[in-house]
Amino acid sequence: MTSWQQAERFLARTHEVQNQPPALENYNLFAQDTALQEALKREGASWARDSVAAFGELAGQAQTIRLGFLANAYRPQFEPQDRFGHRTDLVEYHDAYHQLMALATKHGLHASPWAEPGAGAHVARACRYYLHTQVEAAHGCPITMTFAAVPALQHQPDLAAYWLPKILKNSYDPRNVPDGEKQAVTIGMAMTEKQGGSDVRANTTYAYPVGKEGPGQAYELVGHKWFVSAPMCDAFLVLAQTEAGLSCFLLPRWRPDGSKNPLQIQRLKDKMGNVANASSEAELRGALAWMVGDEGRGVRTIIEMVAMTRYDCMIGSSAGMRQATVQAVHHCHHRAAFGAQLIDQPLMQNVLADLALESEAAMTLTMRMARAMDHQHDEHERAFARIAVAVGKYWICKRTPEHSYEAMEVIGGSGVMENCIMPRLYREAPINAIWEGSGNVQCLDVLRAVAKQPDSFAAFLKELNRAKGSHANLDAAIAALPERLKTAQQQPFYARQLVELMARALQGALLQQHAPNAVADAFCSSRLGVTEHMGYGRLTDPTAARQILSRAWPA
């Protein structure tokens, strides 16, 4: 070989690719999550371990992960009419979206606790949902709404008799055809209007009776809905006014005669995140719907659905934290800088351990709420859930955006690139904090719960007192809560301070009862007391940080 040929060969290849992590794929999300394994057993669903582990293996496969990227790369497209001019209100999704929906429904993420109720049913479903939404979160919207619609529909047995067998079916039918031609359906909701937002009592959509009035009767709805998420669902729970006030209705996309129901999509929302799922604005132009529950009691009828969607927001945000954490830790295991692996550098250990700590605290609280959902027949659990869902939804969802950003910064420049999952996690992070009632709404709901159901706060304190005496900072937080509540009741201006302390105290109490000392004490030392912090990388015990990291990512 001549010197020129040698030079040409050298110039054609600048270097070997080194010091880059392999893609995080083909791993078992459940097997790598020690805290989740413990929660599954502790909260009453050890019987589901094998099926959850199998689902964790499926969620971690490269082809499953790729579906999430494809579903977000190709956004839903709206076709109001077919090429002949017939109104279709069709939203076309990439096939990857449909595959994710089929995967979720096959494994009962939309309905399993209702289809197969029993000990730990909600816990098992929450674990699977937690694993699944780490792959792709946006399609979880119709999954959650379908899941949450069941308690609302049960208020109207005649409607439930037709719809529930189709909802509970573990399959997915994306065809744009009447529900009568389907064995499996999904349910959405359309509550929000532009003039009211979270204040649904300001809704102006009106329901006109077709014949008889009252529960189970047919009405025609006229109005404009500002947010209709997942508009290709087969039916929607809708709020509309009647002479008696705001009422709840079930509105199918098709009329019983097979004609198109005039729920007419105006446009799709151009969202920052959650892009794989379509959200829309729609006009109801005499759309046929059936009243669910008592007339004028629409909020009361649909409140259980709202509670379930808020609970799922907790699961989804906790899942986002977990995925952000493992992406950051995985990167640091395979990346060296300044003469050492990042995972071995003390300051990076502090940041990573703090991310892992926040993630475990969020998951632990979420799975405790899953147990509460499994025991709604128990007075304490029901009262506890009434207040703790709002507390958990507020705090976990609000912590997620900063958490995802910090994990992105750990990865650095490549973490900002769209071929990495981190930008998607970051864009998705604010969604759950806003959806189903933003932060202020949750805080006011806590105050409302205490006013209308005082035993809810008593149940909350009872949960905290299970860990009393385990850490001085936690004890101080528990002692401070009654006065914080009194202040917030007198002046809602201070409601966030109350709810944030409630959330951190509950997380600390749960960790003190169930997590290793390194995790529990690090949380109470850093999130409670005079040294509390809300940023990352400010832990004070290097040995505990290393133990937290080892627990978060055993590999």
Side-chain angles (χ1 to χ4, degrees):
M1 182 180 296
T2 67
S3 58
W4 170 249
Q5 289 174 320
Q6 289 177 328
E8 186 178 50
R9 182 178 180 183
F10 175 77
L11 290 170
R13 188 177 65 185
T14 59
H15 67 287
E16 296 283 349
V17 176
Q18 299 175 355
N19 198 27
Q20 286 286 346
L24 181 55
E25 57 189 23
N26 296 321
Y27 73 108
N28 189 315
L29 276 68
F30 181 72
Q32 287 297 114
D33 196 335
T34 302
L36 183 65
Q37 295 171 40
E38 293 173 359
L40 180 73
K41 180 180 179 180
R42 177 179 67 247
E43 307 300 354
S46 56
W47 54 267
R49 182 181 176 88
D50 289 347
S51 64
V52 175
F55 191 81
E57 182 73 25
L58 180 61
Q61 291 178 2
Q63 58 265 38
T64 306
I65 293 170
R66 178 169 167 74
L67 293 176
F69 281 92
L70 289 172
N72 282 270
Y74 299 94
R75 295 189 176 205
Q77 301 296 314
F78 174 45
E79 294 292 340
Q81 297 150 330
D82 65 16
R83 65 192 184 97
F84 303 107
H86 303 114
R87 186 84 196 193
T88 58
D89 292 299
L90 179 65
V91 179
E92 293 275 15
Y93 297 87
H94 190 273
D95 188 58
Y97 174 92
H98 293 306
Q99 291 184 56
L100 288 166
M101 287 289 292
L103 180 63
T105 53
K106 178 182 178 180
H107 291 272
L109 303 189
H110 68 302
S112 58
W114 318 123
E116 299 178 19
H122 278 283
V123 173
R125 183 257 177 188
C127 285
R128 286 192 293 267
Y129 196 48
Y130 178 79
L131 298 171
H132 187 63
T133 50
Q134 291 183 51
V135 176
E136 205 289 314
H139 77 285
C141 176
I143 296 298
T144 283
M145 291 189 296
T146 303
F147 165 71
V150 173
L153 283 173
Q154 288 172 337
H155 284 276
Q156 198 59 49
D158 50 344
L159 292 176
Y162 172 79
W163 287 96
L164 286 189
K166 295 175 183 285
I167 291 173
L168 301 183
K169 194 83 170 178
N170 279 4
S171 60
Y172 172 63
D173 188 342
R175 294 178 300 154
N176 186 31
V177 298
D179 51 80
E181 300 178 28
K182 292 186 174 187
Q183 292 186 325
V185 298
T186 54
I187 307 295
M189 61 181 177
M191 294 193 291
T192 307
E193 297 183 11
K194 52 185 176 290
Q195 74 281 356
S198 295
D199 183 10
V200 294
R201 295 188 188 279
N203 284 6
T204 60
T205 295
Y206 201 87
Y208 299 89
V210 173
K212 291 183 179 180
E213 301 180 29
Q217 298 303 316
Y219 288 72
E220 288 187 342
L221 275 54
V222 177
H224 185 213
K225 293 297 180 179
W226 194 234
F227 273 96
V228 181
S229 261
M232 292 308 291
C233 286
D234 297 284
F236 303 87
L237 283 169
V238 179
L239 292 176
Q241 303 284 357
T242 68
E243 291 294 327
L246 196 64
S247 304
C248 181
F249 297 86
L250 181 70
L251 189 158
R253 291 187 65 247
W254 300 83
R255 289 174 176 261
D257 62 5
S259 63
K260 180 75 178 60
N261 208 6
L263 181 154
Q264 297 186 349
I265 299 171
Q266 302 305 299
R267 62 176 177 178
L268 299 187
K269 297 288 193 180
D270 188 9
K271 297 177 292 184
M272 176 191 80
N274 201 250
V275 298
N277 169 56
S279 297
S280 65
E281 299 165 19
E283 289 187 346
L284 311 181
R285 299 181 174 179
L288 187 63
W290 284 262
M291 185 177 287
V292 179
D294 294 335
E295 184 175 1
R297 305 300 297 272
V299 173
R300 181 182 178 184
T301 300
I302 211 168
I303 195 67
E304 290 181 74
M305 181 180 189
V306 172
M308 285 295 176
T309 54
R310 289 176 177 177
Y311 157 66
D312 264 18
C313 286
M314 294 170 61
I315 302 175
S317 291
S318 298
M321 283 192 192
R322 173 62 183 175
Q323 184 58 209
T325 299
V326 300
Q327 290 288 337
V329 176
H330 171 77
H331 174 85
C332 291
H333 268 287
H334 295 276
R335 181 79 167 177
F338 311 113
Q341 293 296 117
L342 288 176
I343 197 68
D344 296 325
Q345 298 189 22
L347 183 53
M348 183 60 80
Q349 288 177 349
N350 198 332
V351 173
L352 294 174
D354 227 352
L355 290 169
L357 190 62
E358 192 73 26
S359 172
E360 180 166 346
M363 183 278 297
T364 300
L365 173 52
T366 296
M367 294 306 162
R368 173 63 185 91
M369 297 318 304
R371 172 155 59 97
M373 296 301 174
D374 273 321
H375 293 86
Q376 286 296 286
H377 58 279
D378 181 275
E379 184 177 341
H380 167 77
E381 295 293 326
R382 188 168 59 252
F384 173 59
R386 173 65 185 90
I387 195 169
V389 167
V391 169
K393 197 272 187 188
Y394 170 87
W395 185 242
I396 292 172
C397 298
K398 190 165 290 295
R399 290 291 282 160
T400 305
E402 185 179 358
H403 186 280
S404 62
Y405 154 71
E406 193 72 51
M408 181 186 290
E409 184 179 299
V410 167
I411 296 174
S414 61
V416 184
M417 302 303 144
E418 292 294 345
N419 56 2
C420 173
I421 196 174
M422 289 309 305
R424 175 157 36 107
L425 294 177
Y426 184 62
R427 286 194 300 270
E428 201 73 34
I431 302 299
N432 285 334
I434 297 170
W435 192 41
E436 292 310 307
S438 56
N440 285 356
V441 172
Q442 303 306 315
C443 292
L444 294 174
D445 193 47
V446 169
L447 295 179
R448 190 178 303 110
V450 176
K452 292 186 175 182
Q453 192 176 346
D455 59 337
S456 63
F457 189 70
F460 192 90
L461 289 179
K462 183 178 180 179
E463 286 291 315
L464 297 183
N465 285 327
R466 298 183 197 279
K468 196 171 183 178
S470 58
H471 197 282
N473 287 0
L474 178 59
D475 288 350
I478 296 172
L481 279 175
E483 189 62 32
R484 289 278 186 100
L485 173 61
K486 183 179 178 180
T487 300
Q489 286 176 315
Q490 293 171 344
Q491 300 184 64
F493 182 87
Y494 298 104
R496 286 197 176 206
Q497 286 93 320
L498 166 69
V499 174
E500 290 180 6
L501 185 59
M502 290 176 70
R504 289 182 280 123
L506 181 55
Q507 288 179 322
L510 291 170
L511 292 174
Q512 286 292 338
Q513 293 173 76
H514 306 306
N517 290 341
V519 173
D521 291 344
F523 184 90
C524 289
S525 295
S526 61
R527 270 68 168 176
L528 299 168
V530 295
T531 59
E532 69 184 41
H533 70 82
M534 295 302 111
Y536 295 94
R538 298 168 179 82
L539 301 180
T540 58
D541 187 339
T543 300
R546 289 190 290 271
Q547 293 172 352
I548 293 167
L549 272 178
S550 178
R551 173 177 171 81
W553 193 242

